[in-house]
Amino acid sequence: MEIEKPETKKCLHCAKPITGRLDKKYCNDYCRNSYNNQTKRADDKQIQKVNSIIRKNRRILKTLCPVGKATVSKEVLDAMGYNYRFLSGVYRSPAPANLVYFICYDYAFSPLNEDGKDMALIVKKEDHFDQFLENPWLA
């Protein structure tokens, strides 16, 4: 009578046969680290892309607003490559101003229209913004 050998497990990273404990998944620490780093890199790629865009938007706002408050034309933001689709928060100021600020970490801008020209009021984020950050469940 022939005894069946259990199927040899293979390393998830390099596919070499694994010896040792039955629940072992990798042949050594290098393979375990490499496999986990590759998996994490793939999972985090979209997050890194979005964070990179928001950081670029913040740099643009910071460059245009060296003293805490500035007004620039939308054309300037466009020329510098500002991406309006990505932000870290939204703040609606209370009446009477009723401005909407689009936040990129610690800088924000509010779209304005002055004499038919699209402008942006850029500000360094203030502490009171946190009290009125847009909450979709309370809207």
Side-chain angles (χ1 to χ4, degrees):
M1 173 153 116
E2 195 173 316
I3 300 175
E4 286 186 35
K5 287 185 176 179
E7 189 174 317
T8 305
K9 285 181 78 173
K10 297 192 186 287
C11 175
L12 292 176
H13 181 67
C14 70
K16 290 181 184 174
I18 296 176
T19 58
R21 292 187 342 256
L22 293 175
D23 63 341
K24 211 170 164 185
K25 296 179 184 179
Y26 312 97
C27 59
N28 58 39
D29 286 340
Y30 172 81
C31 281
R32 178 178 48 84
N33 286 328
S34 294
Y35 181 85
N36 289 327
N37 286 340
Q38 283 177 346
T39 304
K40 185 177 189 304
R41 241 188 327 266
D43 289 345
D44 290 349
K45 191 172 269 193
Q46 180 64 21
I47 294 169
Q48 291 170 350
K49 179 182 173 186
V50 170
N51 270 334
S52 176
I53 294 167
I54 295 173
R55 279 194 314 268
K56 179 181 178 186
N57 284 348
R58 180 199 175 272
R59 277 192 305 273
I60 291 168
L61 295 178
K62 183 178 179 183
T63 299
L64 296 172
C65 184
V67 291
K69 193 173 194 178
T71 304
V72 299
S73 73
K74 180 183 177 293
E75 293 170 348
V76 172
L77 289 173
D78 293 342
M80 293 180 80
Y82 193 92
N83 188 328
Y84 300 96
R85 294 180 50 216
F86 296 92
L87 48 115
S88 62
V90 176
Y91 165 75
R92 293 185 192 275
S93 68
N98 292 324
L99 294 174
V100 177
Y101 288 89
F102 299 94
I103 302 168
C104 290
Y105 301 124
D106 57 338
Y107 283 86
F109 84 91
S110 181
L112 304 172
N113 192 295
E114 293 180 357
D115 301 323
K117 186 171 182 183
D118 289 331
M119 303 293 286
L121 171 63
I122 303 171
V123 296
K124 180 133 171 82
K125 185 177 160 213
E126 299 171 9
D127 291 338
H128 69 272
F129 277 27
D130 293 332
Q131 298 170 29
F132 300 102
L133 282 176
E134 192 69 21
N135 181 338
W137 307 114
L138 298 175

